[in-house]
Every structure is written in structure tokens, then in C-alpha cells.
Amino acid sequence: MKIADIEIYQFDIPLEQPFKISIGTMFAANDVLIRMMTDSGLTGWGEACPFPPITGETQETNIAVARNLKKILLGQDPFAVDGFLRQAGSFVRTNPSIVAAFDMAMYDLQAQALSFPLFRLLGGEKAAIETDITADLDTPEKMAERAKKFLQAGYRKLKIKVGQDPDLDLARLEAIRATVGFECALSIDANQGWTVPQAVRALQKMEKFDIAFVEQPVAWWDISGLAEVRRRSPIPVMADESLFTPHDAIRLVRAEACDYFNIKLMKSGGILNALRIAHVAAAANIRCLVGCMLETRLALTAAAHLMASQPNIVFADLDGHTSHTLDPVRGGMIVEGGRITLPEKPGLGLEIDFEFLAKLRPV
């Protein structure tokens, strides 16, 4: 089986409301779609969802890189993902989202060719997982109201964005716990927004809110600072923006800088590198979360397959599509009140809606 053709599309999905975190605001999912076809008639799908405040890449840079990656892969074996990553070289670091899209399509083809759902091909057996849902930055009152609506929709785990003024962040958590009580699980994500002293003081004051973990409290490059926060925080620390590649995972383990890893396909450059990160974590007895940017259910389904295949990925934050104004995916994961069920169909178990695709023009 060889890759016979690859089509590249750009598409934008507006959000119901802007998505605000401590280091930037997104107004749409500005994505790139990969359609990979083989000489045996199979079609694999992949999606890139660049998030400039975190990865530094854009839809435009992803498209430019996609043209290069297409040249690398035409005529190649879709099972040769490792060779593809080596040929992709520094693109894995500079434009990880588009590398992930190609990697994703290759894995989709592999599992289809062998008639396995992807999570089973990767060694997994659980087809049902649970995700949290995120309340992005707003006033304490509005975030509390949003949290209440999430619980009414059936979600049992909430992620709360913080990382601005610590006193304002405390007010946010106070309002949320006062509104929803202590029955639901809460985690917080500072997105690098605090200094080390701010993080230590804030987390010590936030302990009373029963927080499961805090994501990336300090700047991505400050590994020693992250380790210092971990030593002094009563709340477990999760590395996110400090963790892109398997090399980063090893660096974090050596520095004893965190309690948990946040693995995202859009950071790691796809499924193969995500698996490698999960294996580093397992060897170091570190549990993981699989997260997302603002992907559609295409890339989110791929991430859910990854989680279902790895026993040390125990947390999920796969809610990127919940603020989208349209859904171009047919099939794929089903989400009901935070509970995700994966399809038992071969591959990712999805396709792109034909009418949606017909409106796009290949790059």
C-alpha cells in the first residue's frame, strides 16, 4: 500500500464566543485538513489546529509546511510514520500541528488497512472515557454561571482558566465553588500566567477549593521555576506548554519538575510522539492527561483513541469542539455529558461531511 495522493484544505470555524486564556484570545478555529489517499482506495483524514499563543504557528505557516510534507510522503508507505517524522525534521518543533495532521492520517490508514479501530491497533481495550470541559477567562460571576451550565449538561469534571491577577483568580474559584459546590472535580490552568512567587502564594490559598491539579503555572522555559512551584505547592503540578516532544518529557523527569504530563497531538507532532511521551511518563510513574486546542471532532477523536490505548493517560480535556458553530465530522467520537464513546469502526471511524468538503478548495 502506497500513498497515492494528498489533498490539503484550509478552513475556519467561528466560535460561539471568543476563547480567552492568560496569554491570548482565539476567535475561530483556523484549521488545516489533510485528506490522504492510497493506491488501494483507502482515505485517511488528519487535522491541524494551530494555536499561535502556545505553539507559535499559524494556519498560513501550516499550509506552507504541508506542501513540503506532501512531497515527502507521496509514494511512501503509510505505516512508515517513524521515517516520516525523521524526514519532517525541525517541522516537528516549529509547526507541530500540521505534522500531527499527516501523522494522524497515516495512522487512520494503518488501522483501516488492518480493519481495527485505532485504539485497538495501538493496544487499547477501553472504548469509553470521560472528559472535562473548560471555563475560559471572564468575570467570576460569568465563569461561575458557565460552570453551573456545564454541570447541568452532565459534565462532572471542570477545568477553570486562571493565570491573571492571583486575587482575581481566587475570586473566580470562590464564586465557582459557591455556585456548584464540591461535588464536581476542579482543575485549574494558568497557561504560564504567574511568576514563581505568585504561583506559590496563589496555590497555597487555593488548596481549600479542592483542586485536582494546576496546569503550567509559570513560563514554559522556566523548568527550575516549575520544579520550585511543585516543591512548595499543596496542589499537584502538571506540565503543559513545557512539554512538546519526548525530549521535553525526559528533561521534565530529570528536573523533577511536575507531577503530571499534558499530552496534546498539536504540540507533540502527532500520535507516534504522543505515544513516546506516554511511555516516558509510564517509566517515570507519571500519569498523564490528553488535551486539545480548538480542534473539531476529527483530531479530538484521534486524541481519544490515543487515551484509550494507554493506561497511564487517566485524564482527558477533549472539549475543543464545544464552542464551534458547526461540526464538519460524520462518525467519530460521541460525547454525552462528558462521557466519550469511541466508534468500533476501522481507523479513526469518521469522515468529513461531503457537503462541507465540497465548499472547500484544495490548496
Side-chain angles (χ1 to χ4, degrees), residues 3 8 20 56 123 132 266 290 310 357:
I3 298 171
I8 305 164
K20 185 178 181 181
D132 65 20
M266 298 300 117
V290 62
Q310 302 300 305
L357 191 64

Side-chain angles (χ1 to χ4, degrees), residues 314-334:
V314 297
F315 307 111
D317 177 36
L318 299 177
D319 62 339
H321 68 300
T322 54
S323 61
H324 289 189
T325 53
L326 63 92
D327 180 3
V329 180
R330 299 294 171 260
M333 71 179 195
I334 297 172

Side-chain angles (χ1 to χ4, degrees), residues 173-292:
L173 293 175
E174 186 78 55
I176 289 168
R177 278 303 191 198
T179 300
V180 304
F182 283 77
E183 296 302 316
C184 64
L186 279 192
S187 63
I188 58 176
D189 185 0
N191 287 115
Q192 312 175 63
W194 293 326
T195 64
V196 171
Q198 283 179 324
V200 171
R201 287 197 302 270
L203 294 173
Q204 289 173 348
K205 292 179 179 180
M206 290 174 177
E207 182 182 13
K208 63 183 178 181
F209 298 119
D210 190 20
I211 306 300
F213 52 82
V214 55
E215 292 186 46
Q216 201 65 43
V218 297
W220 68 269
W221 46 264
D222 191 2
I223 302 303
S224 62
L226 189 65
E228 176 68 10
V229 172
R230 184 200 181 196
R231 283 190 292 270
R232 299 173 61 187
S233 171
I235 298 171
V237 172
M238 178 179 287
D240 182 359
E241 288 94 327
S242 293
L243 175 64
F244 276 60
T245 68
H247 310 296
D248 296 331
I250 292 172
R251 184 161 52 100
L252 289 163
V253 169
R254 286 174 175 166
E256 299 183 355
C258 61
D259 299 285
Y260 301 122
F261 284 171
N262 183 334
I263 304 172
K264 293 177 181 172
L265 298 182
M266 298 300 117
K267 292 188 305 172
S268 68
I271 293 168
L272 180 55
N273 270 344
L275 288 168
R276 289 168 172 166
I277 293 171
H279 295 163
V280 170
N285 198 28
I286 290 175
R287 295 192 295 174
C288 302
L289 173 146
V290 62
C292 66

Side-chain angles (χ1 to χ4, degrees), residues 49-217:
C49 184
F51 198 97
I54 292 178
T55 63
E57 58 190 333
T58 66
Q59 186 182 58
E60 291 74 20
T61 64
N62 273 190
I63 289 169
V65 172
R67 293 189 175 101
N68 288 275
L69 299 180
K70 175 178 177 178
K71 294 175 183 177
I72 290 172
L73 280 175
L74 285 177
Q76 299 301 308
D77 181 354
F79 281 84
V81 182
D82 182 69
F84 162 65
L85 290 184
R86 282 187 275 110
Q87 288 183 281
S90 62
F91 289 143
V92 178
R93 170 62 78 170
T94 62
N95 280 263
S97 295
I98 194 62
V99 177
F102 280 84
D103 163 288
M104 195 183 303
M106 294 174 77
Y107 272 103
D108 189 13
L109 290 173
Q110 291 176 29
Q112 288 183 55
L114 297 174
S115 298
F116 278 107
L118 180 56
F119 74 93
R120 296 197 186 280
L121 177 67
L122 298 177
E125 56 184 2
K126 55 180 180 180
I129 58 181
E130 186 174 9
T131 180
D132 65 20
I133 191 167
T134 303
D136 63 326
L137 293 176
D138 211 320
T139 65
E141 296 76 19
K142 289 182 178 179
M143 291 180 71
E145 183 60 31
R146 201 171 302 151
K148 181 179 178 180
K149 289 180 180 178
F150 291 155
L151 290 186
Q152 291 172 342
Y155 287 88
R156 300 184 301 174
K157 297 181 178 182
L158 305 181
K159 182 164 88 167
I160 309 304
K161 292 292 187 179
V162 292
Q164 293 184 315
D165 175 72
D167 290 334
L168 176 57
D169 292 331
L170 281 165
R172 287 166 168 145
L173 293 175
E174 186 78 55
I176 289 168
R177 278 303 191 198
T179 300
V180 304
F182 283 77
E183 296 302 316
C184 64
L186 279 192
S187 63
I188 58 176
D189 185 0
N191 287 115
Q192 312 175 63
W194 293 326
T195 64
V196 171
Q198 283 179 324
V200 171
R201 287 197 302 270
L203 294 173
Q204 289 173 348
K205 292 179 179 180
M206 290 174 177
E207 182 182 13
K208 63 183 178 181
F209 298 119
D210 190 20
I211 306 300
F213 52 82
V214 55
E215 292 186 46
Q216 201 65 43

Side-chain angles (χ1 to χ4, degrees), residues 27-47:
F27 299 89
N30 308 118
D31 292 3
V32 181
L33 175 68
I34 298 299
R35 185 184 189 187
M36 188 177 293
M37 293 155 282
T38 69
D39 55 2
S40 60
L42 297 178
T43 297
W45 298 99
E47 176 190 1

